[in-house]
Amino acid sequence: MKMKHLPLFTVGFALALASCKKESTPNPTPDPAPTVTVISPTSGPKNTVVTITGANFGTSTAALKVYFNNIQGTVQTATATQITATVPIGASTGAVKVEKNNVQVTGPVFTYLVSANVTTFAGSSLGYTEGIGTAAQFNVPSGIVKDAAGNLFVCDRDNHRIRKITPAGVVSTFVGGTMGFVDGTGTAARFNQPYAITIAPSGDFYVGDRINHSIRKNYSGRCCYHIGWQWYCGRSAWHR
């Protein structure tokens, strides 16, 4: 009789042992989500190194991503409570976000400052002189536009001209000269304080001729004038 119960005892013991072993295996602890409390500095230009303070960052820089207004920066160092990251070019102003293992949290706003180095490209003192760079002179330059070749066209308001500046900085008169109102070609045309200028996709220029109360147009490569309601076209010219 004792031998008959032995297999049942063995099976029961094995099941109990397996159950104990299963219960003794703890479930893995989930990785806590990161939190962001403060950043320093809160503003700066590109390449600024920002220290982000919070919790649960971990120490693996490979597991972390930092975004400045949704533009990814470069993580330099990481501890459980601090990250240092470099502000990328073109980040613009917006919230700083930290991502760890695909979990993203939002922190304070970083103000992106555009850094600029100002130099004089053309012009110097008041006057009228053609020349290169600062050897040229303007008299109240106002509107400016750039063509497809990189040339700049400037309303030289009180010289009553449209000046052209090449990419090399060579300044010359494109159109206009003496104050007045004349439709014509090049320096034969007359303006009275041209103030604003724009260029159409066709290459035609439009100028706000301030004191003449007119919008003047240059047909690129054509001179167009009117007699009554009829238009006649030849070389390039300006008219209202």
Side-chain angles (χ1 to χ4, degrees):
M1 293 292 294
K2 291 182 181 180
M3 295 300 291
K4 286 184 178 181
H5 292 289
L6 184 59
L8 294 175
F9 174 78
T10 303
V11 171
F13 179 76
L15 290 173
L17 184 63
S19 176
C20 291
K21 184 176 181 181
K22 185 176 182 180
E23 291 177 359
S24 65
T25 303
N27 292 324
T29 303
D31 198 14
T35 59
V36 177
T37 54
V38 67
I39 62 173
S40 179
T42 58
S43 64
K46 65 181 180 181
N47 298 325
T48 298
V49 177
V50 176
T51 299
I52 304 165
T53 302
N56 305 320
F57 295 142
T59 58
S60 173
T61 57
L64 295 167
K65 295 179 181 178
V66 174
Y67 298 90
F68 295 85
N69 195 30
N70 297 319
I71 305 297
Q72 187 173 348
T74 303
V75 177
Q76 293 188 345
T77 63
T79 68
T81 58
Q82 280 193 337
I83 300 170
T84 58
T86 304
V87 177
I89 297 172
S92 74
T93 297
V96 173
K97 297 178 182 179
V98 174
E99 182 179 307
K100 178 186 176 184
N101 297 329
N102 298 319
V103 176
Q104 195 175 91
V105 293
T106 302
V109 169
F110 179 84
T111 302
Y112 186 79
L113 303 178
V114 178
S115 58
N117 181 26
V118 178
T119 60
T120 299
F121 180 58
S124 53
S125 57
L126 181 148
Y128 170 71
T129 302
E130 313 281 32
I132 300 175
T134 55
Q137 289 182 309
F138 296 86
N139 192 349
V140 192
S142 50
I144 186 170
V145 72
K146 181 177 168 181
D147 71 4
N151 299 300
L152 300 175
F153 295 85
V154 180
C155 291
D156 193 0
R157 194 191 76 176
D158 288 358
N159 280 324
H160 312 289
R161 301 165 187 260
I162 307 300
R163 310 284 292 280
K164 177 182 177 181
I165 311 174
T166 70
V170 179
V171 180
S172 61
T173 294
F174 177 59
V175 66
T178 306
M179 181 182 71
F181 178 79
V182 175
D183 291 338
T185 303
T187 55
R190 296 287 179 263
F191 296 88
N192 194 343
Q193 291 194 356
Y195 191 75
I197 186 170
T198 188
I199 186 170
S202 62
D204 298 334
F205 290 90
Y206 294 84
V207 172
D209 194 1
R210 185 168 175 260
I211 304 302
N212 281 325
H213 310 287
S214 300
I215 306 300
R216 312 289 291 280
K217 180 179 181 179
N218 166 252
Y219 285 89
S220 55
R222 297 176 296 160
C223 168
C224 297
Y225 56 95
H226 58 89
I227 300 175
W229 294 101
Q230 183 67 46
W231 284 92
Y232 300 90
C233 294
R235 293 182 305 162
S236 177
W238 289 80
H239 58 82
R240 60 178 159 179

